Structures are given as C-alpha cells and as structure tokens.
C-alpha cells in the first residue's frame, strides 16, 4: 500500500521534476507496466510507478530519499514500456539531480560516488571511458585492488579499452556540462 503525506513542498517538487524531465506527471494512469519491467524494482523499496503516484499526489522532498533514485540503472525500460509515452527514466534522472542539489539523504554505499565518477569521465572524454571511471571510483573508495583479477579477461574480450574513446564531440559535451553548471549557479 502506498502511503503519501501531502507536503507544502509537494507542488514545488512536482513542478521542478516536470521542468527538468519534460514529463507531464498527471498523464500517468498507474497501469504499473513501468514497474513490472524494471530490472531493479524488486530490489528497491520503491517502484517507478509509485514514484509517479507520489509525485502526482504532492509528496515533498522526502521522496528524494527513495532508494530507487540511486538504484535506477537508467536502462529506460520503464520509458519504453509506458503506454502513455512517459519518459519515466527522465523523471528518475531529474529526481537524482534534485536530490543532489537539495542535499537529500543519499543511500549508504558508493552509488553517488559512482555517479559522480561516471559523469566526470563523460565530461572529460565526451563519452564513457571505463578505465577512467574505474580509476576515479577506486580512488574514491580507497579499495584499489578490488576486482583487479578480472581486468585481463575483460581486456582480452574487448569489454574495456586502455585508451580513451575517440570521435566523441568533446567540445559540445563540455559546453553542455558548462551550461548546466552555470544554470545551477544562476539558480543558487
Ligand atoms: S507505465 Fe506509464 S502510465 Fe503506467 S504506471 Fe508507469 S508511468 Fe504510469
Ligand atoms: S530506467 Fe531505472 S526505473 Fe526505469 S526500468 Fe530502468 S532501472 Fe527501472
């Protein structure tokens, strides 16, 4: 059963999510197809359809502490399955961003660290660069030697590349990151 406490920030949170994601939360009719296809829904305490419902009914910033926000793998299955064409993954992205901006409680563990390391490599190289991501993540956790035995097999199978990717439009990607940072500064 979903219990929702109306909050005076509720309207503001829904508006902020709609603005960031471009999604009209109110068109969700709770068919739950997003949740039934979500690969992490069974592991999380909250499901994507529940997030949509809570937003619609005016849940406030407490929603930003939902574990799904950080467990979401951005696979976009929920968006692809939604009969209303709602980009649920974009809603989760928006909530993740708002959780960071508003200093919401982040889960214990290293998911936020992974998120930061991933975004930093995209900002630097214009695309994902696994070795850069792994290095930044390991430096953050301090566990430099964890899982290193898997490296040779991954390299051999071409799962990771030693050199940074080429061909990505780095200038454009950096400009996007710069604009986001400037917009954040303007709003602060
Ligand atoms: S699939 Fe779409 S309409 Fe159905 S519950 Fe999820 S977001 Fe709402
Ligand atoms: S994008 Fe996130 S919420 Fe949507 S199906 Fe994938 S893991 Fe679940």
């Amino acid at each position: 059963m979903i219990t929702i406490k109306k909050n005076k920030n509720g309207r503001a949170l829904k508006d902020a999510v709609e603005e960031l994601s471009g999604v009209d939360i109110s068109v969700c009719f709770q068919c739950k197809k997003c949740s039934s296809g979500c690969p992490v829904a069974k592991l999380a305490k909250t499901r994507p359809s529940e997030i949509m419902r809570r937003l619609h009914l005016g849940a406030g910033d407490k929603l930003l502490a939902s574990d799904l926000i950080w467990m979401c793998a951005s696979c976009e299955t929920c968006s692809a399955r939604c009969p209303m064409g709602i980009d649920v993954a974009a809603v989760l992205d928006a909530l993740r961003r708002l959780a960071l901006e508003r200093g919401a409680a982040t889960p214990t563990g290293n998911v936020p660290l992974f998120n930061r390391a991933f975004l930093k490599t995209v900002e630097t190289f214009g695309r994902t660069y696994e070795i850069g991501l792994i290095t930044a993540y390991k430096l953050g956790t301090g566990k430099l030697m964890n899982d290193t035995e898997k490296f040779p097999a991954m390299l051999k199978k071409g799962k990771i590349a030693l050199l940074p990717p080429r061909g990505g439009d780095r200038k454009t990607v950096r400009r996007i990151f710069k604009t986001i940072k400037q917009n954040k500064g303007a709003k602060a």
Side-chain angles (χ1 to χ4, degrees):
M1 189 179 76
I2 302 174
T3 310
I4 294 146
K5 276 193 184 164
K6 267 209 167 184
N7 183 294
K8 58 179 168 34
N9 294 335
R11 180 75 219 165
L13 182 65
K14 179 172 172 278
D15 289 349
V17 169
E18 288 190 332
E19 190 188 331
L20 286 172
S21 64
V23 163
D24 180 356
I25 303 285
S26 63
V27 300
C28 168
F29 67 103
Q30 286 297 297
C31 67
K32 298 187 173 61
K33 280 192 83 175
C34 51
S35 294
S36 60
C38 174
V40 299
K42 278 189 189 137
L43 305 170
K45 289 183 194 137
T46 322
R47 296 177 161 226
S49 54
E50 206 177 313
I51 294 271
M52 296 296 292
R53 188 70 174 150
R54 285 175 187 268
L55 276 171
H56 192 192
L57 293 181
D61 281 8
K62 263 193 170 178
L63 190 68
L64 296 175
S66 303
D67 58 351
L68 183 69
I69 294 176
W70 294 102
M71 291 172 78
C72 168
S74 299
C75 68
E76 300 188 357
T77 306
C78 48
S79 306
R81 288 174 64 93
C82 178
M84 297 303 286
I86 298 171
D87 191 350
V88 188
V91 170
L92 269 299
D93 267 349
L95 287 168
R96 224 169 2 247
R97 190 172 148 188
L98 289 164
L100 286 174
E101 283 178 10
R102 298 183 182 185
T106 48
T108 50
N110 295 319
V111 178
L113 168 67
F114 183 89
N115 205 269
R116 280 197 304 278
F118 171 76
L119 289 174
K120 192 67 197 164
T121 57
V122 174
E123 181 180 3
T124 307
F125 301 105
R127 291 185 181 184
T128 53
Y129 173 40
E130 289 87 358
I131 298 271
L133 166 62
I134 292 165
T135 306
Y137 180 74
K138 282 185 171 294
L139 285 173
T141 59
K143 293 177 181 166
L144 298 178
M145 299 313 290
N146 264 19
D147 300 323
T148 46
E149 75 281 0
K150 298 186 175 88
F151 266 28
M154 288 173 82
L155 277 173
K156 199 173 164 192
K157 289 183 179 175
K159 299 291 182 194
I160 49 174
L162 278 178
L163 297 175
R166 282 196 249 164
D169 190 345
R170 293 185 187 192
K171 275 188 186 165
T172 305
V173 174
R174 279 188 197 156
R175 203 173 59 238
I176 291 168
F177 274 87
K178 200 173 160 194
T179 306
I180 291 169
K181 283 176 191 166
Q182 281 168 348
N183 287 347
K184 263 199 216 172
K187 280 182 187 172

